[in-house]
Every structure is written in C-alpha cells, then in structure tokens.
Amino acid sequence: MSSESWPPPLKEWVAKCLGQMTDANRAEAQAELRQVIADSFLNKTLWTTDWAGVQLQSLLPKSLALNPLNSLKRKINDGHTVSSKKSKKNPISKGSSASALDPTDLAALNRRAARFQREHEIERQKGTRGHEHTKQHHPFFYPSRFNTPSFDTDEPELNSNVPGWDRFTIVGTSQETFKDYLRLTSEPKPEQIRPYSILQETLNQLKKRWREKASYSWICSQFKSLRQDLTVQRIKNEFTVTVYEIHARMALEVGDMVEYNQCQAMLRNLYELGIPGKVEEFTAYRILMLLHGRNRSDLNLYVGQLTDRQKLDPAVRHALNVQRALAMGNYHSLFDLYLNAPNMGAYIMDHFIDRERIRALMVMTKAYRQISLSFIQNELAFDTIAVALQFLMEHRAAFFQNPNSPDTQKILDCKPAGAPLAEVFEEKYRKVQIKGAV
C-alpha cells in the first residue's frame, strides 16, 4: 500500500502526528501510528474513518492518556464518527469518569494541547533546518517522498500493511570498496554504508572486474549491495541511473530476468523523476518485454504514450517494427529484425524467438509440401544448419523425405510435421512465464 493511495485526510492526520512527536515519544508514537493504520487497512476503513478525530494515546499528556474515555477518539474499527446528538441522548452516569467531560477541564486541556503542539512545531522546524543544512553539503540527494524507502529493497513502500516512517537521511562512512549483499533486518548504521565517493569507485571496479570475466553471481551480489547503499542514503541522480542501467545490461547478457526486471522497474521511476539516462534504449527493451509477455493491453497503452522524439530513436523504432511484424505475421521481417537488433535487444528477443519460430513453422508446413533444411536455417535465423536440425528434433518435427542425406540436402516433409508442431506450441508456448515480472 503506497502512501500515494491514502485518502487526503489520512495524509493530513499523519503529518499532524509527525509534527507533534518529540525525541521522548517518537518511538512509541510511531509504533502506535503504524498499528492504527495497519488495523484500518485490514478492516477496510481507510476511506471511512474520520481521521481528524483520531487521537494517538502516546501523543497525549500522560494524565490524559490514562483516561479510558480517550479510547472514544480512536474510531478505527467501524470507520464512523461518534455523533454528538447520540451522546446527549445517552449521558454517562454519575460515578463514572464523567468529570472528564466538564467544560472547564476540556478547555484547559485544549489550551495545553495547543501549547504542546506549538512547542513541537518549533522543535520540528529546528530539525528541518538542520536537515536542510546537511543536504546542502550533499547535492546528490533527491527529495524523498512522504515515506522512507524500505531499507531492504530498491523500491519504496512495498509492505502493504506497515508503512515506513520518515527519518533523516543517513550518510555512510564505510571505506570498503566491495561488500556482499545482505538483507537488512534493522535500520542501517552509517559505518555499514559506503558514502557516495566510495560507491563511485565501487562501480568503476565492478566494470573492470566484469571485463575481466568475473563470476556473475559475485558481480550481481556487489551490484545489489551497491543499489542498497544508494537506496538507504536516498541518492537519486545520474549516477544512480547509471548503476541500474549497467546492472540491467549485465543481467540481460546472462539471462537473469529477475534482476533485469527489478532494475527496469526502478529505472522507470528514476526517468519519471526527470533524471537523465538511456531512456530510449530502455524504452525499447520495455516494448520487447511486453511483446515477450504478449501483454497487448499494456503494450498498446505504453506505445500510445511514446513521444515523437522517442519514436524516432533507432532502438525504439526497431522495437516498434518487431511489434508490427508480429502483429502482421511477417516472419521474414521478424527474423531479419532479430539478426539486426540494436544494443541488447536480441538478448530479450532470445526469450521469445523460439516461440515465434514454431509459429512460423506451423504456417510454413501448411503452405508447402516440402522445405529444405537449409531454407529453414536461413529463414528462421539459426546460427548453423546443425542448430536448425536440433531444433526440429527437440520439437518433434524432424520428418525428412531423405533422412540419410547430409544436413545441407535434407528435405522436411511438411504434412507429418504440422500436427506435432501444433501440439508442442500448445504444451510449451501457449502460456508465458516471465521471471521477476513487474
């Protein structure tokens, strides 16, 4: 549950509560705040609760917080307000804590609460000025959203029940160039996090190690750790974009679609913030991934939002041509585009090219009685004729009129090959499974 999906009264109430917190009650108040919102979320009363009338017990003066009548102010479970008219019809009997409703006492309590709120606001403004002063010495910080990003993930606000709460951004002090990725289970400490200058050196070293053929598992762990250090320090700038772009390309190269999709999702957020990067390159990758998943509705929506400038980019234009070739069943054009894909587009097409080869073969076996194996190799963009033969065998379509002839002279018998191809397509390619899809 993102804070962006909260009702405005809830946001205003949370901001008010945060402004009333002090160092003495912050931990207790934040815990109660989390619980109140989590209970409301589970009870589906986020939009029906009168948040202006909800009072945290931990923010009340101690004498008032002990009064059981204050529980009336937490109207969370039913999401409705307590009617003043109903209260008049059902007065509280004498002998109970009716003295708490004395008008004189309530007026005094209201004045005291207002005084506390003014004092807390002054303290909060002092803290804000100190925080802004810190940021002036670190121009690479990007203003945070309402919630603090989850310390263990790239993307903020992933926990649907318990939101994270705002704290001052930390600045790391660790001087370690390399650090294995470990899932954070508590608030990070500055001595465990690398500062911006060290992270820049880390990226340079990782690129060098990748060129030297270092193990991808080690490289991936280092990049995840690097991304984690960027996240907890809220560093969102061109360097952050570069880190995610490089890791995404490495993941594509080795077929790690889980990490690729995580990087792609974060890059979309960074680009939307206006941070420069290889926007067109990753726009093309996004189109190809949607083609892989055959997500036509999202694809049409995404393509419809492209700017004229993006459509003129060679990589984006290539991806749109792939879309057009698939829509028209123009397999000759499709496989030519596969052989001439810019950047790392071919690595994404690798994930759905076999599916399209089967579809192309299904059309070809209906249109022809016989096809030479060498023609299949050239038309479907196989690297060698041996790879084409192996593909037909794996997909139960290796029916040749002259099976004992050399591979360059083999002729596929189309009629018996058609039915097995259709069966294989239903079994293997009808459903699309994408690891790490977002």
Side-chain angles (χ1 to χ4, degrees):
M1 177 185 65
S2 169
S3 65
E4 296 176 356
S5 64
W6 291 356
L10 172 56
K11 294 181 181 179
E12 295 174 2
W13 175 73
V14 171
K16 175 183 175 183
C17 292
L18 292 175
Q20 294 176 346
M21 293 179 190
T22 65
D23 292 340
N25 65 15
R26 189 178 307 280
E28 181 183 0
Q30 286 183 349
E32 185 181 1
L33 191 60
R34 293 188 186 97
Q35 189 60 48
V36 168
I37 296 180
D39 291 345
S40 181
F41 176 78
L42 292 175
N43 293 322
K44 304 184 185 306
T45 59
L46 282 177
W47 290 86
T48 58
T49 299
D50 178 16
W51 290 103
V54 177
Q55 175 64 58
L56 295 182
Q57 301 297 301
S58 54
L59 293 180
L60 287 173
K62 293 301 181 183
S63 59
L64 184 59
L66 295 175
N67 193 325
L69 290 176
N70 291 319
S71 61
L72 292 174
K73 293 186 178 181
R74 290 199 31 192
K75 301 179 284 291
I76 298 301
N77 292 333
D78 60 359
H80 299 287
T81 60
V82 179
S83 172
S84 59
K85 293 182 180 180
K86 185 175 181 181
S87 300
K88 291 179 181 179
K89 292 180 181 180
N90 299 282
I92 299 176
S93 62
K94 297 179 181 179
S96 66
S97 301
S99 60
L101 297 177
D102 184 88
T104 304
D105 291 342
L106 284 176
L109 288 173
N110 288 335
R111 288 195 300 272
R112 185 179 183 185
R115 185 175 71 253
F116 271 95
Q117 186 168 353
R118 286 196 302 272
E119 293 174 356
H120 296 163
E121 181 65 21
I122 292 172
E123 290 298 322
R124 188 183 67 81
Q125 290 176 357
K126 288 180 179 178
T128 302
R129 285 195 294 269
H131 183 36
E132 291 174 351
H133 178 72
T134 302
K135 283 190 175 184
Q136 290 174 2
H137 291 81
H138 298 278
F140 46 82
F141 285 120
Y142 192 89
S144 66
R145 295 182 183 180
F146 172 76
N147 280 356
T148 299
S150 172
F151 290 129
D152 190 46
T153 57
D154 297 315
E155 188 62 15
E157 306 158 358
L158 294 182
N159 190 322
S160 61
N161 293 326
V162 183
W165 303 111
D166 198 17
R167 292 188 179 90
F168 291 145
T169 301
I170 68 169
V171 178
T173 59
S174 173
Q175 299 299 304
E176 297 289 335
T177 303
F178 299 117
K179 185 182 72 171
D180 289 335
Y181 171 74
L182 293 175
R183 192 174 283 272
L184 292 177
T185 57
S186 61
E187 185 174 340
K189 300 177 181 179
E191 59 269 21
Q192 298 172 338
I193 306 300
R194 293 162 292 185
Y196 186 63
S197 58
I198 300 299
L199 294 178
Q200 290 177 306
E201 177 61 23
T202 298
L203 179 61
N204 291 332
Q205 291 297 322
L206 288 176
K207 290 191 293 185
K208 180 180 178 182
R209 297 290 182 91
W210 182 249
R211 290 192 295 268
E212 295 172 353
K213 307 299 182 182
S215 166
Y216 174 73
S217 60
W218 180 82
I219 289 285
C220 182
S221 176
Q222 294 298 317
F223 263 95
K224 287 172 70 68
S225 176
L226 174 55
R227 286 157 44 187
Q228 185 182 71
D229 285 359
L230 289 169
T231 299
V232 299
Q233 296 180 94
R234 292 181 185 165
I235 302 175
K236 292 185 177 181
N237 61 1
E238 293 186 47
F239 174 75
T240 309
V241 170
T242 300
V243 169
Y244 279 91
E245 289 176 343
I246 292 175
H247 193 188
R249 295 188 190 102
M250 291 179 177
L252 279 179
E253 189 170 341
V254 301
D256 184 358
M257 301 310 291
V258 173
E259 288 302 325
Y260 167 76
N261 280 303
Q262 289 181 5
C263 292
Q264 175 72 292
M266 188 60 178
L267 283 170
R268 288 182 65 191
N269 291 333
L270 295 172
Y271 293 151
E272 288 174 0
L273 292 174
I275 304 175
K278 303 296 183 181
V279 180
E280 286 76 18
E281 176 187 349
F282 282 84
T283 296
Y285 297 158
R286 173 76 173 162
I287 295 171
L288 293 176
M289 281 298 299
L290 289 170
L291 290 171
H292 171 31
R294 293 191 290 190
N295 193 335
R296 293 184 180 86
S297 59
D298 284 357
L299 177 62
N300 292 335
L301 179 62
Y302 187 67
V303 170
Q305 295 174 344
L306 296 179
T307 65
D308 292 338
R309 176 183 175 183
Q310 289 175 322
K311 292 179 181 179
L312 291 175
D313 180 82
V316 176
R317 190 165 63 248
H318 170 270
L320 294 176
N321 287 337
V322 172
Q323 178 193 16
R324 187 176 298 107
L326 285 172
M328 298 177 63
N330 187 345
Y331 294 106
H332 179 83
S333 176
L334 173 66
F335 293 108
D336 183 62
L337 291 166
Y338 171 61
L339 292 176
N340 296 283
N343 300 318
M344 305 193 72
Y347 286 98
I348 297 179
M349 295 184 71
D350 281 340
H351 291 275
F352 64 85
I353 203 67
D354 282 352
R355 178 186 72 202
E356 300 308 321
R357 281 169 171 157
I358 291 294
R359 294 178 65 182
L361 280 169
M362 290 167 61
V363 174
M364 292 163 69
T365 54
K366 290 179 181 179
Y368 298 95
R369 291 184 178 181
Q370 60 186 32
I371 309 173
S372 68
L373 183 58
S374 58
F375 177 80
I376 293 174
Q377 175 209 343
N378 294 327
E379 192 66 16
L380 303 188
F382 287 106
D383 292 335
T384 64
I385 198 169
V387 174
L389 176 60
Q390 184 65 28
F391 181 84
L392 292 175
M393 294 174 64
E394 290 176 352
H395 292 81
R396 308 199 296 267
F399 294 91
F400 296 102
Q401 294 180 351
N402 52 345
N404 297 324
S405 300
D407 292 348
T408 55
Q409 299 177 15
K410 280 185 169 64
I411 303 297
L412 180 70
D413 191 351
C414 295
K415 187 174 181 179
L421 285 171
E423 293 175 0
V424 169
F425 181 80
E426 290 295 326
E427 295 171 4
K428 198 170 181 179
Y429 299 111
R430 177 62 68 183
K431 293 183 179 180
V432 182
Q433 294 182 351
I434 303 178
K435 294 182 179 180
V438 291

